[in-house]
Structure formats: C-alpha cells, structure tokens
Amino acid sequence: MQQSKPRSTTFAELLAAAQHSAVHLEMRDGYAVGDEADEFAHFQRTGHVDLDPTARWWPAWLGLVREAVGRGVVMRRARIVSEPVTDYIRWEHASTLLNIQAGEQVRWLPRRKAFDLALPGTDFWLLDSRLVQFHNWTGDGDWHPIEPKTWTEDAAVVKLCADAFEQVWDRATPHDQYTV
C-alpha cells in the first residue's frame, strides 16, 4: 500500500479540511480506548448511559461533527456487529443518540449479512472519497501504541474502502430501526 502523509495530521484537522463527506466503518465488537472506559464500566455496573453531551470526551467530538455537518459535510457511520451483541455494542448503541443529534447518520449491519463483502482488515475513515485513515488496534481493542493510525490516498485502497462502505451502508439498518 502506498502511504502518504496528509497535510494535516490530527483527525480534527483532517475533518476540518473535508469538503463533502466523511464516512466511518467500524467492525469490532468491542473497543478498550481509555477515554470511554469509565462510562462503559458505569454502563456495565448499572445499565445506564449518560447522554449528557457535555460529559467527558463528547464536547470535543460533537463539536467537530456539528462544525463539519454545518458546512455541508455528510457524515455517515456504519457498524458491523456480531449478534447477539456484546455489552460494548449495547452501550455504544445506547449512546449513539448523541452522534445522531450532532448530525451523523448511523447504521448497523449484523455480521451474518456481511459474509460476502470484501472488507478492509480494520476500521477506517474515508474523507471526501480521496483519503483513508485506517485505525490500528491491539488485540484488546486499544489504539496500537506504535502505529495507531495509517493514512493513504492510494486510488486502489480508496476504491476498496469506498466500495466496502457503500455495500455495508446499503445493507445496514438505520439506527432508529435497529434493536440490540
């Protein structure tokens, strides 16, 4: 894979430079990133999700989404999940309302409906159908410490990701119709 370093290096900068679209494909049944650990542990103990958009990491993310959507960027997120879903996916589903309120469109695809799709090996963001940012994870679901993210503008890789996302999106169920 030909790798290129984008002019901007943080995701916030990449999203701020997006002009038309930002799509995200998630394919893991659980993540263990530090900034959401407390909220997920609270959900596991209580079954309650804090939908306060000012809590923890939400203000920064929701602000990025609102700003992008406000200038015309269409933000779509698709999640491929195993069923029955994990506790993490149950928590993620319950907290997705905040993503939607900020302007993201979110759909869910049961893994059994994705068996015949050609999918990249990891989650990714595709910005303006030209730049892919792959996420590299440890087996436990945290960011890989050496190379957490990989960017490319390679046309073949961009096409693979764009095609994969659109196929998932077409088969997936809108958030308000998917139950966990």
Side-chain angles (χ1 to χ4, degrees):
M1 172 174 70
Q2 176 187 4
Q3 202 172 339
S4 59
K5 179 115 174 158
R7 286 179 231 102
S8 304
T9 56
T10 69
F11 185 76
E13 292 170 327
L14 292 173
L15 185 57
Q19 298 175 13
H20 309 288
S21 63
V23 301
H24 187 38
L25 183 60
E26 297 177 14
M27 297 182 282
R28 294 181 61 97
D29 288 318
Y31 297 86
V33 292
D35 61 356
E36 59 188 33
D38 291 342
E39 284 79 7
F40 179 53
H42 175 76
F43 174 76
Q44 287 179 300
R45 284 190 313 275
T46 67
H48 179 262
V49 174
D50 184 358
L51 292 176
D52 177 0
T54 65
R56 301 275 295 160
W57 76 91
W58 283 112
W61 176 249
L62 298 177
L64 289 173
V65 173
R66 285 187 196 104
E67 192 279 328
V69 170
R71 61 186 161 75
V73 174
V74 175
M75 291 189 70
R76 298 183 294 159
R77 180 185 302 256
R79 294 175 170 140
I80 299 174
V81 297
S82 300
E83 292 177 323
V85 299
T86 62
D87 285 346
Y88 183 89
I89 295 299
R90 204 174 337 282
W91 171 74
E92 196 173 50
H93 185 271
S95 62
T96 294
L97 180 62
L98 293 173
N99 297 76
I100 291 169
Q101 289 173 345
E104 281 189 70
Q105 300 170 42
V106 180
R107 291 187 182 181
W108 303 80
L109 181 65
R111 196 170 306 282
R112 72 181 183 283
K113 294 182 178 180
F115 287 154
D116 61 339
L117 299 179
L119 301 169
T122 191
D123 299 1
F124 66 86
W125 278 95
L126 173 60
L127 302 169
D128 286 339
S129 300
R130 66 165 189 80
L131 174 71
V132 177
Q133 179 189 39
F134 288 108
H135 293 202
N136 298 312
W137 304 102
T138 64
D140 293 335
D142 200 356
W143 295 112
H144 194 282
I146 297 171
E147 193 172 8
K149 297 174 183 140
T150 302
W151 295 272
T152 186
E153 292 177 302
D154 181 280
V157 176
V158 167
K159 181 176 180 356
L160 168 73
C161 292
D163 290 349
F165 184 86
E166 292 306 325
Q167 289 175 13
V168 168
W169 189 258
D170 288 345
R171 292 183 185 188
T173 303
H175 175 76
D176 64 346
Q177 297 171 28
Y178 184 75
T179 56
V180 295

